[in-house]
Amino acid sequence: MAMAATSSALLGVLLFLSLFSAVVHCSGAGGSPLDQLCGNLGGYYVSPELCISALCGVDPSACRNARSTPELAALATRLAVANATATKANLESALGHAAEPASARDAEATKGMRSCLQLYAGAVPALQWAAQAVAAGRYRGAEEVLQAAQYIGSGCTGMAGEAALPRENDRFSYMAIVAHAVVAFMYAGF
């Protein structure tokens, strides 16, 4: 009788441990915060590769050494601010050095670039606010700012055409998509 009770208890413990191991493995626990975060953004159409590339592209040690997902969310929003600021500066420079448009098409592209510059000029302060909010652990509002920021790059492309825009516009688009996904994931978890 004691042997049967011990066998049942042992079987129960083994079953519990195997189920616990499966849950831990499927939830991604045990990996780095970067792997855990980037592995959970598929619902936002962000692959782990795009996530890691966007977060680690400039300074791989900053993303790899992050101790938590909130730290990575703060990094993502700071990178979005930096990309928007760089794009704005490049647009200002291009417009400042632009010659008189030679054709109606060039004039239209210049007009589009000016409109694009206005978008970035408004977005940079909003993104700075979002970065401060995320760094403080406040995701509400920041998520909406980043959601709107996702459309700036494509809006600029529609207004100015790809040939007229600095390549930073595309880089900002990717970073804004990743930053939004990260912050939306964090907001959903809190």
Side-chain angles (χ1 to χ4, degrees):
M1 179 85 164
M3 181 77 124
T6 305
S7 294
S8 294
L10 185 59
L11 183 61
V13 168
L14 287 174
L15 182 61
F16 172 78
L17 288 175
S18 65
L19 287 173
F20 178 76
S21 173
V23 168
V24 168
H25 182 271
C26 292
S27 70
S32 72
L34 178 66
D35 294 334
Q36 290 175 12
L37 177 66
C38 290
N40 283 305
L41 299 181
Y44 300 98
Y45 304 104
V46 173
S47 69
E49 294 80 16
L50 175 59
C51 176
I52 291 169
S53 173
L55 293 177
C56 300
V58 175
D59 183 8
S61 64
C63 72
R64 299 262 178 221
N65 294 334
R67 296 178 309 262
S68 65
T69 51
E71 199 174 313
L72 288 166
L75 173 65
T77 52
R78 284 193 315 271
L79 289 171
V81 171
N83 277 286
T85 303
T87 305
K88 178 180 171 275
N90 284 333
L91 283 166
E92 289 169 337
S93 177
L95 288 167
H97 294 101
E100 191 65 33
S103 68
R105 186 175 183 179
D106 290 345
E108 195 63 32
T110 299
K111 183 179 173 184
M113 285 178 64
R114 283 193 182 98
S115 297
C116 184
L117 177 58
Q118 288 178 333
L119 281 176
Y120 277 103
V124 168
L127 289 166
Q128 289 169 335
W129 173 85
Q132 291 171 346
V134 170
R138 296 186 312 269
Y139 303 108
R140 177 180 232 148
E143 190 263 338
E144 286 81 1
V145 168
L146 290 163
Q147 182 177 15
Q150 293 180 96
Y151 301 103
I152 292 171
S154 61
C156 285
T157 300
M159 290 185 286
E162 286 187 48
L165 294 173
R167 67 178 183 258
E168 287 81 8
N169 185 63
D170 287 336
R171 291 180 185 160
F172 172 73
S173 292
Y174 289 122
M175 192 64 239
I177 289 167
V178 171
H180 171 257
V182 168
V183 172
F185 176 77
M186 296 301 296
Y187 180 61
F190 283 86

